Amino acid sequence: MLCSIGLGLAVVSCAIRTSAPPPVPGQTPSGLVDEAARSPDQPTPRALASLGLTEQGRLLLESGRLDDAISILERALSLNPTNGRNYYYLSEAWLSKGNPLQADEFNRLAAIYLKEDSDWMVRVIDQRERIRERKR
Amino acid sequence: MVIALVFLFGGVGALLYCCHLSAHIQKQFSSRRWSIPSRVFSDITLLYPGQTLNLPLFHEKLRNLGYQEVSHVPLHKGELRTAGPIMELFLHDLALPSRNREGFPVMIRFLQNRIESIVRPDTGKPLPIIELEPEEIMLFFGPERERRQLISISQAPQHLICAVLAAEDSRFYQHHGIDLRGILRAFYINLRHATLRQGGSTITQQLAKSYFLTPERTLSRKLKELLMSLTMEVMYEKNEILEIYLNEIYLGHKASISINGVGEASYFYFGKSVNELLLSEAATIAGLIKGPNYYSPYVDRERCLNRRNVVLRAMHKNEWISDEELQANLATPVNTVELTKYGKKAPYFIDYLSEQLAALYPPQALASLGYSIYTTIDTQVQMAAERALARGLARLEKSNPSLNRSEPGKRLEGAVIVMQPKTGYILAMVGGRDYSESQFNRITQARRQSGSAFKPFVFLSGLDKFTPASLVSNEPKSYEFNGNKWQPQNYEPVEKVRLRLRTALAKSVNRATVDLAMQVGLEHIVSIAHRFGLSTPLKPYPSLALGAFEVIPLELARAYCALAADGVLPYPLSLKEVVNENGGIVERRHMTIESVVSPAKAFIITSMLRSTVTEGTARALKNMGITFPVAGKTGTTNSFRDAWFIGYTPDILALVWVGFDNGDSIRAPGSTAALPIWADLMSAIPEHISGNWFQMPPGVVKRIVCSESGQLAIPNACPEPIEEFFLVDVVPAQRCPLHRPAGLFKRIIEEVKDSYKNR
């Protein structure tokens, strides 16, 4: 009898953990969870097009054509505002142009959109340090 | 002896006069020769596989860019062929401030209205992205009202030069400004036909006439023309004279604007640059010199074709084209581009832009220096916005005839602005329903009460203390300020006495909003609103919470951009670059941003404004064909004087305002007056809708809370647990005090029941 009660309690306790009542449909924060989760792992065509422009922007940045790089990175951003690399390179361009305030704004955005990418976060943090250095 | 002296003195006199003329000619030619109006361009258009387009608008865009439908495979720049799902396009050259690209052929395959692939047919290579050139949207004319695109002689194709020479002066390279043989031939022909059939003027004489002389027909003027021609021939190379002539000649007009020079004429008649002109097209342009309006293809196509063929035969007679070329081109019809309208394509936007340009350049510089001004405007979005507004206002007037006004300046009005929230680019601006009726820009110049569209800034101001699950009072209350009592009323009856913030904002509940505002502090709300760029005076009165103070629609749209852009306020950008005639960039503007609130707070307000669309005052949006996630807010002011809707996604934001300029009631709230216009607009610009939603930024967490208490939900106790977003620093710490967990025995029974139910 005790065994069966104990077994019952164990089952129930497990059940309680697993069957916590779900949020009431329609009362969730407006399906935001689903929509946020919809951010695709597979890049959308729009995101792919944006990446192509990001690469062009990077090359322009490397060749020292800062204004041209900014123009094309802005265009990439308009196609995919969640592409963290655009913010990183925009920050880099503004830093090179001697505007650490704008660089700082873009660096913070880069940190938001690259937070899941540890390799890129290293670069973002390094960039932040350089911006701080420049501000001093 | 006397005769010799007369000749001697006459010769010396002529020589001295030529010296005088040479100084005059040199002065004219060394200074600026022509006033070139500055041209305003839209932004470029990107096309990429996977992109969904509004095909009718896209075709309209191509027509505006001068692409011409042909029945054969496009072989020349500007040609277009559509066959079923495939569009073949020979792209124009792309000349941007930072780079140039030669035109090339592309093949775009569509699957319904989505681009399936873009391939370069000459190489078979798939293309990930292509760019269409910017569209001209306006010219800054000077008093001359001339359009002219300068070309150098090296840009003019040989067949164009030959055509012009054949038509006007075939012995140009043989004579010295005056062609005696030509004069005798013209004299003979005119005598034979007893009419003025042929003129004997050389190209140099024509240039002297049009460039330096008045049109009167006197002997002294003719003599001056001859001497000036001789002088010019001494001073300048033949090719220099021809180049000036090709840029100078009048070749037609449209409305009050004259088309001058072959560079402009190539675009005007054939939608292409001069170096792309085909032989038959070059001959057509050359044929126009004799009588640009009489031989215009837009006036009489047959007459134009006959004149062109005269030129072609003259070219053949001079052995500048072969028999085969002659025969092939004689059979070619005159295919011109559609006559497009000149004028402001986005007039309110242009006015707004002009104000900024006026700070940089005086009007005479814009009218004469030939600047190319590149802007952020997207002509497809602009067209969609203009049409959505026109349709929406007409629909309102039809559904409520009391809104009709017979006087033009007093009609129901509306305004739309479309922006990219992250960059601040203004994609479209419609400052009123009809620019010819009223040039008052209701986006940049109007000051209107924002009504409930102001509420997000009240809720945002409270996020340091309150959460979306916090409860505020919906009870009737009176507030006093300046000795006056004021009792806010709800727009619709709301039964609940206490409401969660999310519900209060979604359903735009006035009493609950004022209750929150009073707890948050009115001064704090004013300071937040100013931080978001609202520059109009805002007073810390309780009615502030309901948008009783006036705002400028552009500033309100910009403030909402910050909510859509991780709390970063963008500068509203319309002007991108100004490029001078030589291609040098003289002004360049980039997006500039300023953080005004944390990304976490912006995200939480956005999530609450999402509820407005899913279950609040904008829920009708889903019945209007909007299937992608949107955050937004309606606004309605007292007595229905103003109706607003501001809606956004991560990619795009649009604000719609509807009202009367004189403050008459429009008898409709934002949800029925402004919202359908917003939906109509967004449905027409699928290329700007990614369907993506905002990512949850750092500093936000999710918790399950009780809908009644707003505190952490107790499993199996709270009847309506809901998932909610919280700032990481303002998470409910307490468990729900309203509901008690069930006893162990009851829980076991419930679980057993549930497990049976779930079988």
Side-chain angles (χ1 to χ4, degrees):
Chain A
M1 178 67 179
L2 276 172
C3 279
S4 63
I5 288 172
L7 187 64
L9 279 175
V11 168
V12 168
S13 63
C14 288
I16 287 169
R17 272 202 295 276
T18 54
S19 65
V24 176
Q27 288 291 322
T28 58
S30 310
L32 263 187
V33 183
D34 291 345
E35 285 157 5
R38 216 152 56 89
S39 289
D41 291 334
Q42 290 288 326
T44 60
R46 203 176 156 95
L48 276 174
S50 173
L51 275 174
L53 295 176
T54 308
E55 184 55 17
Q56 287 181 35
R58 185 186 67 81
L59 293 172
L60 287 168
L61 189 59
E62 281 181 2
S63 63
R65 292 170 59 187
L66 301 177
D67 285 307
D68 293 342
I70 291 173
S71 293
I72 209 145
L73 290 167
E74 285 178 10
R75 200 171 292 291
L77 190 61
S78 68
L79 278 182
N80 181 12
T82 63
N83 180 355
R85 295 178 199 187
N86 279 324
Y87 298 110
Y88 175 84
Y89 290 127
L90 276 167
S91 177
E92 208 60 38
W94 282 108
L95 193 58
S96 301
K97 272 174 75 76
N99 188 336
L101 289 177
Q102 278 297 295
D104 196 24
E105 297 283 7
F106 286 113
N107 174 271
R108 281 191 301 103
L109 292 167
I112 292 173
Y113 290 102
L114 292 168
K115 66 178 189 288
E116 307 291 343
D117 190 326
S118 53
D119 291 343
W120 271 95
M121 274 312 288
V122 171
R123 301 173 73 174
V124 170
I125 291 162
D126 169 67
Q127 188 180 58
R128 190 179 302 157
E129 283 306 311
R130 285 186 285 123
I131 293 167
R132 270 191 204 146
E133 198 65 36
R134 186 67 68 86
K135 275 184 177 171
R136 276 188 219 130
Chain B
M1 178 67 184
V2 174
I3 294 168
L5 277 173
V6 166
F7 268 103
L8 182 67
F9 281 114
V12 171
L15 202 63
L16 286 172
Y17 188 61
C18 283
C19 286
H20 164 73
L21 286 177
S22 71
H24 180 52
I25 292 167
Q26 192 171 23
K27 189 180 165 198
Q28 283 286 309
F29 278 15
S30 60
S31 65
R32 189 172 180 80
R33 289 171 196 163
W34 298 285
S35 283
I36 312 291
S38 296
R39 299 191 297 159
V40 181
F41 291 97
S42 74
D43 203 353
I44 60 165
T45 303
L46 296 175
L47 300 174
Y48 50 87
Q51 186 182 31
T52 305
L53 296 177
N54 177 334
L55 286 179
L57 270 186
F58 179 58
H59 280 277
E60 205 169 331
K61 169 96 189 173
L62 291 174
R63 275 199 299 278
N64 289 342
L65 288 173
Y67 285 93
Q68 201 178 350
E69 191 89 39
V70 292
S71 54
H72 55 81
V73 174
L75 297 169
H76 305 284
K77 291 167 192 170
E79 290 184 340
L80 155 76
R81 182 170 78 163
T82 313
I86 293 171
M87 175 185 280
E88 291 164 280
L89 198 62
F90 206 121
L91 296 174
H92 284 136
D93 292 343
L94 179 72
L96 292 177
S98 53
R99 67 206 154 88
N100 293 320
R101 183 214 63 200
E102 271 280 307
F104 59 89
V106 293
M107 186 186 280
I108 306 174
R109 181 182 288 275
F110 287 91
L111 187 65
Q112 293 174 328
N113 59 346
R114 193 170 62 85
I115 296 176
E116 203 175 25
S117 64
I118 305 176
V119 175
R120 195 172 163 152
D122 53 349
T123 61
K125 203 177 150 192
L127 300 171
I129 193 163
I130 57 170
E131 296 160 309
L132 294 181
E133 61 276 17
E135 185 179 336
E136 184 186 290
I137 54 174
M138 194 254 183
L139 284 149
F140 282 99
F141 284 114
E144 305 90 356
R145 296 191 68 74
E146 290 176 355
R147 278 185 70 108
R148 181 181 277 114
Q149 290 193 43
L150 296 184
I151 59 148
S152 67
I153 191 84
S154 59
Q155 285 174 282
Q158 193 56 36
H159 52 250
L160 174 66
I161 291 172
C162 291
V164 170
L165 297 185
E168 295 299 312
D169 184 0
S170 59
R171 286 177 23 83
F172 175 70
Y173 283 99
Q174 277 89 54
H175 62 65
H176 298 286
I178 301 166
D179 186 12
L180 287 176
R181 203 193 293 178
I183 292 170
L184 288 174
R185 190 181 60 243
F187 181 73
Y188 169 72
I189 289 172
N190 293 340
L191 199 67
R192 214 177 81 180
H193 292 92
T195 55
L196 199 64
R197 280 211 160 186
Q198 205 175 79
S201 291
T202 63
I203 277 178
T204 320
Q205 281 174 277
Q206 288 183 43
L207 187 59
K209 207 185 310 178
S210 73
Y211 207 76
F212 297 99
L213 302 170
T214 50
E216 84 233 9
R217 301 181 106 176
T218 61
L219 193 64
S220 65
R221 202 216 67 157
K222 193 72 189 168
L223 193 64
K224 198 173 173 184
E225 176 192 308
L226 292 175
L227 291 175
M228 198 167 252
S229 303
L230 289 170
T231 311
M232 281 166 66
E233 291 271 346
V234 171
M235 291 175 71
Y236 294 99
E237 295 283 325
K238 281 284 184 186
N239 277 352
E240 284 180 279
I241 293 169
L242 186 58
E243 183 179 283
I244 298 169
Y245 177 80
L246 291 175
N247 282 310
E248 171 61 27
I249 38 173
Y250 168 65
L251 285 165
H253 78 274
K254 195 165 76 172
S256 62
I257 299 156
S258 72
I259 310 300
N260 289 69
V262 293
E264 185 62 43
S266 314
Y267 276 103
F268 180 71
Y269 291 107
F270 299 108
K272 56 176 75 170
S273 62
V274 72
N275 57 346
E276 295 166 19
L277 284 177
L278 305 176
L279 172 56
S280 64
E281 294 164 344
T284 306
I285 288 178
L288 288 170
I289 300 171
K290 192 178 177 191
N293 299 312
Y294 185 72
Y295 293 112
S296 168
Y298 298 123
V299 174
D300 188 332
R301 203 162 283 266
E302 188 65 28
R303 194 191 293 153
C304 175
L305 185 136
N306 290 337
R307 173 67 190 153
R308 182 204 65 185
N309 289 351
V310 167
V311 176
L312 285 169
R313 287 195 186 97
M315 292 173 82
H316 181 252
K317 192 179 161 194
N318 282 292
E319 298 181 358
W320 292 335
I321 57 171
S322 64
D323 293 345
E324 293 76 26
E325 283 176 310
L326 175 68
Q327 292 313 320
N329 283 282
L330 285 175
T332 310
V334 177
N335 287 324
T336 53
V337 291
E338 276 180 48
L339 198 60
T340 50
K341 263 205 288 189
Y342 285 153
K344 295 180 182 180
K345 280 187 182 158
Y348 294 101
F349 175 83
I350 291 291
D351 283 356
Y352 175 66
L353 179 80
S354 302
E355 284 169 27
Q356 296 165 62
L357 289 169
L360 299 169
Y361 313 105
Q364 62 271 28
L366 289 172
S368 63
L369 295 182
Y371 287 144
S372 295
I373 297 156
Y374 294 90
T375 71
T376 57
I377 199 103
D378 181 323
T379 50
Q380 292 180 86
V381 181
Q382 179 69 26
M383 282 189 279
E386 286 171 3
R387 288 166 196 179
L389 182 66
R391 278 194 295 261
L393 297 181
R395 201 166 42 227
L396 277 168
E397 286 170 333
K398 196 178 170 192
S399 65
N400 187 349
S402 72
L403 299 178
N404 283 299
R405 301 285 188 275
S406 51
E407 283 181 70
K410 295 188 172 173
R411 293 163 76 204
L412 179 64
E413 277 294 349
V416 180
I417 181 164
V418 186
M419 294 178 74
Q420 269 176 3
K422 294 275 182 181
T423 59
Y425 286 11
I426 296 173
L427 302 181
M429 182 186 280
V430 191
R433 77 188 293 182
D434 186 348
Y435 185 79
S436 63
E437 207 171 87
S438 161
Q439 291 82 51
F440 180 66
N441 189 339
R442 289 155 194 84
I443 288 295
T444 58
Q445 295 173 309
R447 282 165 169 71
R448 306 289 304 205
Q449 288 187 342
S450 57
S452 300
F454 184 78
K455 283 177 183 166
F457 304 99
V458 176
F459 285 74
L460 182 83
S461 307
L463 284 185
D464 288 323
K465 294 180 196 164
F466 297 86
T467 74
S470 302
L471 298 170
V472 279
S473 168
N474 181 39
E475 284 179 297
K477 275 187 199 169
S478 286
Y479 300 90
E480 261 192 56
F481 67 97
N482 286 355
N484 297 316
K485 270 194 171 179
W486 176 65
Q487 190 173 47
Q489 302 296 325
N490 287 337
Y491 176 67
E492 284 175 336
V494 178
E495 282 179 16
K496 284 189 174 174
V497 177
R498 284 163 70 75
L499 294 170
R500 280 182 292 123
L501 256 58
R502 179 178 290 279
T503 311
L505 183 58
K507 297 187 188 297
S508 203
V509 182
N510 289 343
R511 286 177 190 156
T513 306
V514 179
D515 181 53
L516 173 70
M518 298 309 285
Q519 293 187 65
V520 167
L522 298 170
E523 294 281 2
H524 180 52
I525 296 168
V526 169
S527 89
I528 289 281
H530 286 323
R531 200 194 297 168
F532 272 73
L534 300 181
S535 67
T536 44
L538 303 170
K539 298 254 168 65
Y541 299 161
S543 58
L544 166 78
L546 306 185
F549 291 96
E550 290 173 347
V551 297
I552 299 167
L554 173 62
E555 291 186 352
L556 188 61
R558 182 190 179 211
Y560 269 75
C561 279
L563 300 177
D566 300 300
V568 167
L569 188 69
Y571 176 80
L573 203 65
S574 53
L575 173 66
K576 288 176 89 174
E577 283 120 355
V578 180
V579 176
N580 66 20
E581 271 183 308
N582 305 321
I585 298 173
V586 291
E587 178 75 19
R588 192 165 209 174
R589 292 185 179 175
H590 297 303
M591 64 179 277
T592 47
I593 55 173
E594 180 196 352
S595 176
V596 290
V597 72
S598 71
K601 282 184 182 172
F603 176 83
I604 286 191
I605 291 295
T606 292
S607 88
M608 292 165 75
L609 292 177
R610 176 84 185 102
S611 295
T612 303
V613 174
T614 53
E615 56 203 76
T617 52
R619 62 189 178 280
L621 210 51
K622 60 177 175 289
N623 304 324
M624 297 175 187
I626 302 299
T627 53
F628 52 89
V630 174
K633 187 72 193 82
T634 51
T636 310
T637 58
N638 278 348
S639 310
F640 301 105
R641 288 196 188 102
D642 305 86
W644 300 84
F645 183 69
I646 304 137
Y648 61 88
T649 71
D651 312 296
I652 198 160
L653 178 144
L655 172 150
V656 178
W657 170 84
V658 177
F660 282 104
D661 286 341
N662 66 3
D664 281 357
S665 171
I666 64 161
R667 299 165 200 275
S671 57
T672 51
L675 189 69
I677 295 171
W678 192 94
D680 191 6
L681 162 62
M682 286 297 152
S683 303
I685 49 170
E687 66 274 20
H688 285 278
I689 311 297
S690 69
N692 290 335
W693 191 243
F694 296 89
Q695 289 180 15
M696 198 168 88
V700 178
V701 291
K702 283 185 282 185
R703 294 285 184 271
I704 293 174
V705 294
C706 171
S707 69
E708 290 176 27
S709 67
Q711 300 294 340
L712 294 172
I714 298 171
N716 294 318
C718 295
E720 197 179 64
I722 53 169
E723 195 171 43
E724 185 55 274
F725 292 116
F726 296 94
L727 292 178
V728 74
D729 302 328
V730 198
V731 179
Q734 292 180 345
R735 288 159 69 86
C736 174
L738 303 178
H739 306 104
R740 290 271 159 259
L744 181 61
F745 183 69
K746 194 175 173 190
R747 282 158 61 197
I748 291 169
I749 299 294
E750 289 295 325
E751 288 303 322
V752 171
K753 271 188 192 169
D754 279 352
S755 63
Y756 272 106
K757 266 188 215 164
N758 295 334
R759 272 183 187 175

